[in-house]
Structure formats: C-alpha cells, structure tokens
Amino acid sequence: MNDTILLAHGGGGSLTRALVEELVVPGFSNPALNRLDDSALVEIDGTRLAMTTDSYVVSPLFFPGGDIGKLAVCGTINDLAVAGARPLYLTLSLVIEEGLPIETLRTVLRSAAETAREAGVQIVTGDTKVIERGKADKLFINTAGVGVPLKGVSVASANARCGARVIINGPIGDHGIAVISRREGIEFKTPVTSDVAPLWSLVEKVLAVCPDVQAMKDATRGGLAAVLNEIAAASKVSVLIRERDVPVREAVRGACDLFGYDPLYVANEGKVVIFCPAERAAAVLAVMREHPLGRDAALIGEVIEGRAGQVLMDTSIGGRRIVDMPYGEQLPRIC
Ligand code: MG
C-alpha cells in the first residue's frame, strides 16, 4: 500500500477496494459490514433494516440535469433500493466552506427537499459544519439512510448464478460526461444531461415481477465495468456482455472519444444493473420499459461458465476482450 492517499483511492475501483479491505474493515469486522454491499442489513428487535451512508464531493456543485443536493438524496436512496429495501428516512449533513453564497446553499437544499419529496423519503436529522475559507471546496454533503428490506427478496453481490441474465435500465455514461463537460466548460451540439434519479420506484416494480433477482447494483463511480467486476468477484462467476447491446448515447460516445474515456468506466447516477434468472428476463425488461427511468432498458449479457471473477465483452467488431476492474477513477470528484 502507498504511504499517502491518492485521488485514485476515492475512485471506486480496485484501489478503493484495497483501502477499505486492508485499512478500514479489519478494525470493525462484523457480519453486516463484511458483506461490503451497497447497504448493510441489520436486525433490531426482530425487524430487519437496511442502512447506508455516502459523502458527496462533486465539482461543480451544479451540472446539467442536477446538483449536489439531488445527487446526495438519490445516491443514498439508490444504495438502499439495490439492497431490495424501501428507502424511508435519510440524514443530511453539510460541510460548508466559509464564503459560500447563502443563495447557493438555499438552491441545493431546495433541490434535495424536492427530490426527497418526490421519492417519498423524509430527511429526519442532519448536521451543519463550517470550515475556514480555502480549507474545503464550497460544499460537501453526507447522507445516511435507512430502509426496510422487502420480504422474500434476497439480493447480494455474491448471489449471481450461472445462466443469469444481465439487464440495465438505460444508456451509460451520462452523469460523468455531464459533470466533466460543465467542469471543463465544453458545450456539445447535443447537450448531455446527468441521469441522476431515485431508482426505488423502478426497482420496486422489478422486484414485484422478479422477487428472485440475484444481484443488483447501481453503477456509479467506476461505471458499468466496476459493478460487473464486483458482482463477478463476489459471486465467483464469469460475466459476458455484448458491446453492441450496451446502450450508449451518440453524444456520450462522441464525448468519450474526445476525452479519451471508455463509456464502460464513466459514472452513472440513475442506472441499475440487475442479474436475474433467465426465465424472468423478459418480464423484467417489460416492466422496466413501462417506467420513465427504464424506457431504454436492455439485456446486455449473462453469467457463463468460466474463470471466477472475470468479466468479458464480445466487441462490436467481433472480438472478445476482458473488461478489467478500474484501478482508480478516470474522473475525480464525479459524485
Ligand atoms: Mg452503490
């Protein structure tokens, strides 16, 4: 391990994983934590709860399609949703740099409140800290959330089985490209808007037709490639995707060419990847496509016999290549 923290330690790739597994988890080790999934599952007086927390450091605070307030609420809702849990209550903690315009904070909080209201969750407690000018970058937000896991649903990164189908609810890379284009001041002919959205209403519909979803993750930092690798590793299976079936908007593909990014590794904030039994794939796709957040849902691959932890892709030009776990993040401070 390095002597100092690198930006890549925050990228959601293999370096983040190493930091968490080697430095963080050993001191706290317990069954709920050791799953290292999007939410922890705990039990209080016989009632099962899902808990999660996340910090948001996105730069800039406002980007096409969203802002740090909406992002903070959606991110925590989505980590509960992909655990198969109905999100209920959130906390919201602010770390503010001295000099931030009150109007900026007001706008961010209004956006967070509106997102929570629309998603049917309540922000029930929080905290406010202010740091001297120059010691933080405008505004950081931490949210935690609790939810109730649906009965009869048992999703985990470790549950994907051979033959499972891999489905995503729409095109990848929108969030990362929206943020980086605003950060760099680049305008595209077709503007790219972040996909940031609360996914519970979509996930609930999927679980209603397919309570036996095996694994489910929101593809955020590290993109689609990171979540496929996490599930392949945790489940000790091989995953094969087909490049031509992975939805990518033309504008995102163009921006990726311009910046030198691979869309598989670009962040999303409203995309869920679902591993379901083959016989349920048609039903899952059908309910997704009826939902505004799943109109472009696609079946992108399956779990195959092969080396444990490996992700492969059949390319559009007829080859087959390995899709590696990202090391760090090609775009820092994306969420
Ligand atoms: Mg997540």
Side-chain angles (χ1 to χ4, degrees):
M1 199 182 298
N2 308 67
D3 291 335
T4 55
I5 292 291
L6 310 174
L7 260 181
H9 278 114
S14 56
L15 209 54
T16 303
R17 190 76 183 191
L19 182 74
V20 168
E21 285 180 352
E22 290 166 31
L23 200 71
V24 181
V25 172
F28 304 106
S29 180
N30 60 69
L33 174 66
N34 297 352
R35 293 171 73 239
L36 291 180
D37 244 324
D38 297 276
S39 286
L41 299 174
V42 296
E43 202 172 300
I44 302 172
D45 291 340
T47 302
R48 293 167 67 231
L49 284 180
M51 285 178 73
T52 191
T53 184
D54 240 307
S55 296
Y56 298 86
V57 300
V58 67
S59 171
L61 297 178
F62 298 89
F63 46 83
D67 58 76
I68 192 171
K70 182 174 186 181
L71 188 64
V73 171
C74 291
T76 290
I77 286 173
N78 293 348
D79 277 340
L80 292 167
V82 296
R86 177 188 303 284
L88 292 176
Y89 299 108
L90 264 55
T91 72
L92 188 139
S93 298
L94 305 167
V95 178
I96 311 166
E97 183 189 12
E98 177 189 13
L100 183 80
I102 291 281
E103 196 49 39
T104 301
L105 189 56
R106 196 193 308 277
T107 306
V108 167
L109 291 173
R110 200 182 287 136
S111 170
E114 203 173 289
T115 307
R117 202 176 311 114
E118 283 169 13
V121 303
Q122 286 183 295
I123 291 164
V124 291
T125 186
D127 180 49
T128 308
K129 297 280 161 46
V130 179
I131 287 183
E132 303 93 315
R133 204 179 287 266
K135 300 272 169 82
D137 189 9
K138 300 181 188 73
L139 176 65
F140 302 145
I141 298 181
N142 175 278
T143 49
V146 294
V148 179
L150 294 196
K151 287 203 173 64
V153 171
S154 158
V155 297
S157 293
N159 286 358
R161 295 290 167 261
C162 200
R165 296 299 192 259
V166 184
I167 292 171
I168 189 163
N169 62 311
I172 58 169
D174 295 4
H175 178 72
I177 296 303
V179 172
I180 197 69
S181 61
R182 177 57 51 90
R183 195 189 294 169
E184 302 294 327
I186 294 170
E187 306 246 346
F188 297 112
K189 211 174 345 158
T190 317
V192 177
T193 303
S194 170
D195 60 342
V196 57
L199 290 167
W200 171 247
S201 61
L202 174 72
V203 168
E204 188 179 26
K205 290 222 153 54
V206 168
L207 291 172
V209 296
C210 181
D212 46 355
V213 165
Q214 297 170 353
M216 174 159 60
K217 284 185 95 66
D218 54 335
T220 56
R221 284 181 305 185
L224 176 62
V227 296
L228 294 177
N229 271 279
E230 283 172 26
I231 291 172
S235 297
K236 301 184 176 68
V237 296
S238 263
V239 175
L240 173 67
I241 59 169
R242 290 170 298 272
E243 186 170 28
R244 91 177 96 82
D245 293 335
V246 176
V248 185
R249 291 182 206 286
E250 261 331 295
V252 168
R253 204 181 289 284
C256 282
D257 287 344
L258 183 70
F259 291 120
Y261 300 142
D262 181 340
L264 289 177
Y265 294 90
V266 178
N268 313 275
E269 288 292 341
K271 289 298 161 316
V272 58
V273 180
I274 288 175
F275 285 60
C276 68
E279 65 274 18
R280 301 260 205 240
V284 168
L285 277 170
V287 290
M288 273 191 167
R289 287 172 179 162
E290 279 167 15
H291 192 283
L293 297 175
R295 273 197 204 106
D296 302 314
L299 173 64
I300 59 169
E302 60 211 50
V303 177
I304 57 165
E305 297 279 358
R307 191 157 68 76
Q310 181 168 257
V311 179
L312 299 164
M313 181 166 78
D314 282 344
T315 65
S316 305
I317 54 168
R320 179 171 286 191
R321 70 165 173 98
I322 290 176
V323 177
D324 276 321
M325 182 71 167
Y327 173 73
E329 168 60 76
Q330 48 191 3
L331 311 167
R333 297 197 43 199
I334 207 75
C335 58

